[in-house]
Coordinates of all heavy atoms in Angstrom, one line a residue:
S187 N -52.8 15.3 -50.6 CA -51.6 15.9 -49.9 C -50.4 15.2 -50.5 O -50.5 14.0 -50.9 CB -51.7 15.8 -48.4 OG -51.1 14.5 -48.0
Q190 N -49.4 11.6 -49.4 CA -50.4 10.6 -49.6 C -50.5 10.1 -51.0 O -51.0 9.0 -51.2 CB -51.7 11.1 -49.0 CG -51.7 11.3 -47.5 CD -53.0 11.8 -47.0 OE1 -53.2 13.0 -46.9 NE2 -53.8 10.9 -46.6
R236 N -57.3 21.1 -54.3 CA -56.3 21.4 -53.2 C -55.2 20.3 -53.3 O -55.5 19.1 -53.2 CB -57.1 21.3 -51.9 CG -56.1 21.5 -50.7 CD -56.9 21.5 -49.4 NE -55.9 21.5 -48.3 CZ -56.0 20.7 -47.2 NH1 -57.1 20.0 -47.0 NH2 -55.1 20.7 -46.3
H280 N -48.4 19.6 -44.4 CA -49.5 18.6 -44.2 C -48.9 17.4 -43.5 O -48.5 16.4 -44.2 CB -50.1 18.2 -45.5 CG -51.5 17.6 -45.4 ND1 -52.6 18.0 -46.2 CD2 -51.9 16.5 -44.7 CE1 -53.6 17.2 -45.9 NE2 -53.2 16.3 -45.0
F281 N -48.7 17.4 -42.2 CA -48.2 16.3 -41.4 C -46.8 15.8 -41.7 O -46.5 14.7 -41.2 CB -49.2 15.1 -41.5 CG -50.6 15.3 -41.1 CD1 -51.6 14.3 -41.5 CD2 -51.0 16.4 -40.4 CE1 -52.9 14.4 -41.1 CE2 -52.4 16.5 -40.0 CZ -53.3 15.5 -40.4
N323 N -52.0 22.2 -42.2 CA -53.2 21.3 -42.2 C -53.4 20.7 -40.8 O -52.5 20.1 -40.2 CB -53.0 20.1 -43.2 CG -54.2 19.2 -43.2 OD1 -55.3 19.6 -43.7 ND2 -54.1 18.0 -42.7
E324 N -54.6 20.9 -40.2 CA -55.0 20.2 -39.0 C -54.0 20.2 -37.9 O -53.5 19.1 -37.5 CB -55.5 18.8 -39.3 CG -56.7 18.8 -40.2 CD -57.3 17.4 -40.4 OE1 -56.6 16.4 -40.0 OE2 -58.4 17.2 -40.9
V327 N -54.7 17.6 -35.0 CA -54.6 16.2 -35.4 C -53.1 15.8 -35.4 O -52.7 14.8 -34.9 CB -55.3 15.9 -36.7 CG1 -55.0 14.5 -37.2 CG2 -56.8 16.2 -36.7
H381 N -59.5 20.9 -38.3 CA -60.4 19.7 -38.2 C -61.5 20.1 -37.2 O -61.3 20.6 -36.1 CB -59.5 18.6 -37.6 CG -60.1 17.3 -37.6 ND1 -60.0 16.4 -38.7 CD2 -60.9 16.6 -36.7 CE1 -60.6 15.3 -38.4 NE2 -61.2 15.4 -37.2
N429 N -62.2 21.1 -42.2 CA -62.1 19.6 -42.5 C -63.1 18.9 -41.6 O -63.0 19.1 -40.4 CB -60.7 19.1 -42.2 CG -59.6 19.6 -43.2 OD1 -59.9 20.4 -44.1 ND2 -58.4 19.1 -43.1
Y431 N -65.2 15.3 -40.7 CA -65.3 13.9 -40.8 C -66.3 13.3 -39.8 O -66.2 12.2 -39.5 CB -64.0 13.2 -40.7 CG -63.1 13.5 -41.9 CD1 -62.1 14.5 -41.9 CD2 -63.1 12.7 -43.0 CE1 -61.3 14.8 -42.9 CE2 -62.3 12.9 -44.1 CZ -61.4 14.0 -44.1 OH -60.6 14.2 -45.2
M463 N -64.0 4.4 -40.7 CA -63.2 5.0 -39.7 C -64.0 5.8 -38.6 O -63.6 5.7 -37.4 CB -62.2 6.0 -40.4 CG -61.2 5.2 -41.2 SD -59.9 6.2 -42.0 CE -58.8 6.6 -40.7
W464 N -65.0 6.5 -39.0 CA -65.7 7.3 -38.0 C -67.2 7.3 -38.2 O -67.8 7.0 -39.2 CB -65.3 8.8 -38.2 CG -63.8 9.0 -38.0 CD1 -63.1 8.8 -36.8 CD2 -62.8 9.3 -39.0 NE1 -61.8 9.0 -37.1 CE2 -61.6 9.3 -38.4 CE3 -62.9 9.5 -40.4 CZ2 -60.4 9.6 -39.1 CZ3 -61.8 9.8 -41.1 CH2 -60.5 9.8 -40.4
E490 N -61.8 19.8 -46.6 CA -61.9 18.3 -46.7 C -63.2 17.8 -46.2 O -63.6 18.3 -45.1 CB -60.8 17.6 -45.9 CG -59.4 17.7 -46.4 CD -58.4 17.0 -45.6 OE1 -58.8 16.0 -44.9 OE2 -57.3 17.4 -45.5
W528 N -62.6 15.0 -50.1 CA -61.4 14.2 -49.8 C -61.7 12.8 -50.2 O -62.5 12.1 -49.6 CB -61.0 14.3 -48.3 CG -59.7 13.5 -48.1 CD1 -59.6 12.2 -47.7 CD2 -58.4 14.0 -48.3 NE1 -58.3 11.9 -47.7 CE2 -57.5 13.0 -48.0 CE3 -57.9 15.3 -48.6 CZ2 -56.1 13.1 -48.1 CZ3 -56.5 15.4 -48.7 CH2 -55.6 14.3 -48.4
A529 N -61.0 12.2 -51.1 CA -59.9 12.7 -51.8 C -60.1 12.4 -53.3 O -61.0 11.7 -53.7 CB -58.6 11.9 -51.4
N533 N -55.6 6.7 -51.6 CA -54.2 7.1 -51.3 C -53.7 6.5 -50.0 O -54.4 5.7 -49.4 CB -54.1 8.6 -51.4 CG -55.0 9.3 -50.4 OD1 -54.9 9.0 -49.2 ND2 -55.9 10.1 -50.8
F534 N -52.6 7.0 -49.6 CA -51.9 6.5 -48.4 C -52.6 7.2 -47.2 O -52.4 8.4 -46.9 CB -50.4 6.8 -48.4 CG -49.7 6.5 -47.2 CD1 -49.5 5.2 -46.8 CD2 -49.1 7.5 -46.4 CE1 -48.9 4.9 -45.6 CE2 -48.5 7.2 -45.2 CZ -48.3 5.9 -44.8
E535 N -53.4 6.4 -46.4 CA -54.1 7.0 -45.3 C -53.3 6.9 -44.0 O -53.6 6.2 -43.1 CB -55.5 6.4 -45.2 CG -56.4 6.8 -44.0 CD -56.5 8.3 -43.9 OE1 -56.5 9.0 -44.9 OE2 -56.7 8.7 -42.7
W536 N -52.1 7.5 -44.1 CA -51.2 7.6 -42.9 C -51.1 6.3 -42.2 O -50.8 5.3 -42.8 CB -51.7 8.7 -42.0 CG -51.9 10.0 -42.7 CD1 -53.1 10.6 -43.0 CD2 -50.9 10.9 -43.3 NE1 -52.9 11.8 -43.7 CE2 -51.6 12.0 -43.9 CE3 -49.5 10.8 -43.4 CZ2 -51.0 13.0 -44.6 CZ3 -48.9 11.9 -44.1 CH2 -49.6 12.9 -44.7
F544 N -60.9 6.4 -49.8 CA -61.6 7.6 -49.8 C -61.9 8.2 -51.2 O -62.6 9.2 -51.3 CB -60.7 8.7 -49.1 CG -60.7 8.6 -47.6 CD1 -59.8 7.9 -46.9 CD2 -61.7 9.4 -46.9 CE1 -59.8 7.9 -45.5 CE2 -61.7 9.4 -45.5 CZ -60.8 8.6 -44.8
Ligands
BGC225 C1 -56.2 14.7 -43.2 C2 -56.0 13.8 -44.4 C3 -56.5 12.5 -44.2 C4 -58.0 12.6 -44.0 C5 -58.8 11.3 -43.7 C6 -57.5 14.5 -42.6 O1 -57.4 14.4 -41.2 O2 -55.9 16.0 -43.5 O3 -54.6 13.8 -44.7 O4 -56.3 11.6 -45.2 O5 -58.3 13.4 -42.8 O6 -58.3 10.7 -42.5

Side-chain angles (χ1 to χ4, degrees):
S187 88
Q190 295 180 271
R236 176 175 170 223
H280 198 130
F281 299 167
N323 181 68
E324 297 187 346
V327 172
H381 193 88
N429 289 3
Y431 289 93
M463 293 182 74
W464 301 291
E490 286 181 33
W528 184 270
N533 59 56
F534 175 66
E535 178 50 31
W536 308 111
F544 280 94

